[in-house]
């Protein structure tokens, strides 16, 4: 396995995958899950979501340690959201299996006390470093009413940055529990008098936050913002969202739905603010589409739509940029694009890099991926003044991008069918000048963090 790890480190996932397949033929049963886990990593570096999902499922099946079984299955559930063939029924079945992994879990004694004068809210996350999720939850930790709420943060990572320090200074108490067991962390959360535990992780990063929430350290437990769908568990009581996202999928949730008017407010950091301020228009001859999402979100159905759009818009071009710097993912997407029949001379593919902000000056219209749309990338594009075309789905996670467009006042960019999506993209490319559409973007509504924080904490007040 060390050989495979080294190949992955050097960004040779294809070679690593072949080596791992060979190892599986003669592996000890106790090592099988470790190999499957590495197979999942290789498929990730090859942008193969289906392969990654299967590998994580295999790891869960072959592991014998309950804690890591739960981690593998969380990774599997997360990966399922990339796949266009996955529906509510498939996800529901996966969630039931995951929840069953807690059937014998011990919980802390039930909380009997009522809320005090101040409501104590504990936010738990895989990390509190700057990230896509942080751009949505930051105002909850910096703009709350200290007369009514006592806020603590529980960080499961040793890695910290300037954002971590900002949050540490902002909240009432900040705890780094990266070296503390899940059970001990749950006890500590209970000991500080937590009324409400808010899980910002969900099935992200192996569902670590869920394994702590399973001990039931708080009277009321909520998930959302940092994760985009039901956790499928019976120890999370509520899921925080809005009526638009929940409109077609309430029955799919294991949790009760706790809604506010808008479930998102984008909070740009100083780097993003400066990028928008310094963005300069770049003249380009061709109408330029952009796809700036994680390449794992790009599937065959999406590429088929792009082929039709580019064929019917012969004067257009398209830019793809990944969210990682891995050359293997760029090469993998290039192969998929060739197979899908996109015109290679009008396609540009780039790895992720820190100075990607300049892309927004080159792009006329961003084509959002489906079924897994952009979250941070959609909000960021709108903030930078670039419209985003979205195909809205039925599942909660499929509706986030459309929700951001709704909040930003751009309902005309929300499509209901692939045909509608294709026609809209073609029509916009023929208009060429989208300045009127750009002027309609209500970035102020999307970045209204004060109202968002107020509505969030008012919703918590309703749970008293």
């Amino acid at each position: 396995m060390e050989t495979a790890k080294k190949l992955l480190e050097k960004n040779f996932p294809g070679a690593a995958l072949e080596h791992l397949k060979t190892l599986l033929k003669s592996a000890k049963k106790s090592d099988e899950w470790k190999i499957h886990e590495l197979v999942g990593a290789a498929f990730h570096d090859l942008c193969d979501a289906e392969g990654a999902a299967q590998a994580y499922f295999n790891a869960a099946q072959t592991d014998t340690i309950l804690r890591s079984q739960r981690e593998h299955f969380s990774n599997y559930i997360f990966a399922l959201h990339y796949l266009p063939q996955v529906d509510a029924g498939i996800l529901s079945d996966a969630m039931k299996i995951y929840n069953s992994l807690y059937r014998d879990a011990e919980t802390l004694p039930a909380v009997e006390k009522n809320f005090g004068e101040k409501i104590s809210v504990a936010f738990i996350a895989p990390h509190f470093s700057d990230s896509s999720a942080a751009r949505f939850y930051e105002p909850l930790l910096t703009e709350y009413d200290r007369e009514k709420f006592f806020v603590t943060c529980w960080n499961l990572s040793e890695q910290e940055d300037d954002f971590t320090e900002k949050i540490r200074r902002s909240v009432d108490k900040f705890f780094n529990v990266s070296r503390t067991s899940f059970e001990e962390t749950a006890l500590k959360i209970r000991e500080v008098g937590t009324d409400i535990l808010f899980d910002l992780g969900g099935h992200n990063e192996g569902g670590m936050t869920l394994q702590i929430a399973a001990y039931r350290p708080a009277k009321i437990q909520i998930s959302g913002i940092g994760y985009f769908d039901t956790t499928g568990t019976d120890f999370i009581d509520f899921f925080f969202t809005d009526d638009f996202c929940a409109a077609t999928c309430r029955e799919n949730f294991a949790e009760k739905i706790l809604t506010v008017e808008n479930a998102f407010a984008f909070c740009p950091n100083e780097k993003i603010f400066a990028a928008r301020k310094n963005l300069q228009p770049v003249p380009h001859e061709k109408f330029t589409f952009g796809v700036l999402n994680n390449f794992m979100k790009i599937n065959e159905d999406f590429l088929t739509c792009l082929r039709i759009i580019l064929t019917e818009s012969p004067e257009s071009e398209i830019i793809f940029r990944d969210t990682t710097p891995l050359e293997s993912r760029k090469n993998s997407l290039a192969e998929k694009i060739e197979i899908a029949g996109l015109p290679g001379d009008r396609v540009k593919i780039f790895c992720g890099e820190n100075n990607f902000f300049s892309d927004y000056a080159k792009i006329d219209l961003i084509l959002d991926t489906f079924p897994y749309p952009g979250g941070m990338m959609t909000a960021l594009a709108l903030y930078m003044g670039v419209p985003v075309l979205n195909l809205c789905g039925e599942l909660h996670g499929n509706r986030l991008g459309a929700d951001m467009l709704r909040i930003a006042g751009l309902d005309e960019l929300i499509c209901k069918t692939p045909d509608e999506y294709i026609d809209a993209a073609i029509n916009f490319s023929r208009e060429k000048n989208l300045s009127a559409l750009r002027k309609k973007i209500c970035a102020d509504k999307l970045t209204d963090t004060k109202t968002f924080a107020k509505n969030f904490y008012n919703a918590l007040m309703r749970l008293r």
Side-chain angles (χ1 to χ4, degrees), residues 281-346:
V282 175
H284 46 279
E285 296 179 3
K286 293 183 178 180
F287 186 92
T288 305
F289 295 108
V291 178
L292 305 184
N293 286 345
N294 176 356
F295 283 0
M296 287 279 279
K297 296 181 179 183
I298 298 174
N299 55 62
E300 185 178 343
D301 291 350
F302 179 66
L303 289 176
T304 297
C305 286
L306 297 192
R307 176 177 54 77
I308 298 170
I309 291 167
L310 291 176
T311 300
E312 296 298 318
S313 309
E315 298 301 315
S316 67
E317 63 182 7
I318 189 165
I319 293 173
F320 293 87
R321 187 179 293 281
D322 196 11
T323 53
T324 82
L326 298 179
E327 195 74 23
S328 60
R329 289 162 62 99
K330 174 184 172 182
N331 296 337
S332 179
L333 180 61
E335 291 179 11
K336 292 177 183 178
I337 284 173
E338 184 177 0
I339 293 170
L342 274 68
D345 59 328
R346 291 191 278 140

Side-chain angles (χ1 to χ4, degrees), residues 214-228:
Y215 286 97
R216 278 228 164 249
K219 183 176 182 178
I220 295 174
Q221 305 195 151
I222 310 173
S223 188
I225 303 177
Y227 187 63
F228 49 78

Side-chain angles (χ1 to χ4, degrees), residues 56-87:
Y56 296 139
F57 182 82
N58 292 342
Q61 275 197 318
T62 53
D63 203 343
T64 57
I65 301 171
L66 187 57
R67 169 177 165 162
S68 49
Q69 272 189 316
R70 294 167 178 166
E71 291 177 8
H72 304 317
F73 218 85
S74 277
N75 290 333
Y76 167 65
I77 288 171
F78 192 101
L80 284 179
H81 287 83
Y82 289 115
L83 309 181
Q85 67 269 32
V86 169
D87 58 17

Side-chain angles (χ1 to χ4, degrees), residues 191-361:
E191 287 169 1
V192 301
T194 300
D195 298 307
I196 298 173
L197 176 68
F198 199 99
D199 163 41
L200 292 167
H203 289 287
N204 277 301
E205 303 200 27
M208 293 187 294
T209 54
L210 292 177
Q211 295 207 50
I212 294 168
Y215 286 97
R216 278 228 164 249
K219 183 176 182 178
I220 295 174
Q221 305 195 151
I222 310 173
S223 188
I225 303 177
Y227 187 63
F228 49 78
D229 208 343
T230 177
T231 65
T233 65
D234 54 18
F235 50 80
I236 298 293
D237 306 301
F238 294 92
F239 189 89
F240 176 80
T241 186
D242 58 36
D243 287 329
F244 179 89
C245 277
T248 59
C249 54
R250 286 177 180 268
E251 66 277 9
N252 302 333
F253 275 74
E255 308 88 347
K256 296 177 183 177
I257 300 295
L258 179 66
T259 62
V260 293
E261 182 181 358
N262 297 322
F264 302 99
F266 179 60
C267 183
N269 56 24
E270 291 181 5
K271 183 177 180 180
I272 294 171
F273 178 78
R276 185 174 78 159
K277 183 179 180 181
N278 297 326
L279 191 67
Q280 298 296 324
V282 175
H284 46 279
E285 296 179 3
K286 293 183 178 180
F287 186 92
T288 305
F289 295 108
V291 178
L292 305 184
N293 286 345
N294 176 356
F295 283 0
M296 287 279 279
K297 296 181 179 183
I298 298 174
N299 55 62
E300 185 178 343
D301 291 350
F302 179 66
L303 289 176
T304 297
C305 286
L306 297 192
R307 176 177 54 77
I308 298 170
I309 291 167
L310 291 176
T311 300
E312 296 298 318
S313 309
E315 298 301 315
S316 67
E317 63 182 7
I318 189 165
I319 293 173
F320 293 87
R321 187 179 293 281
D322 196 11
T323 53
T324 82
L326 298 179
E327 195 74 23
S328 60
R329 289 162 62 99
K330 174 184 172 182
N331 296 337
S332 179
L333 180 61
E335 291 179 11
K336 292 177 183 178
I337 284 173
E338 184 177 0
I339 293 170
L342 274 68
D345 59 328
R346 291 191 278 140
V347 174
K348 298 177 182 177
I349 308 173
F350 301 103
C351 296
E353 56 184 38
N354 291 332
N355 64 348
F356 73 97
F357 291 108
S358 61
D359 289 346
Y360 294 107

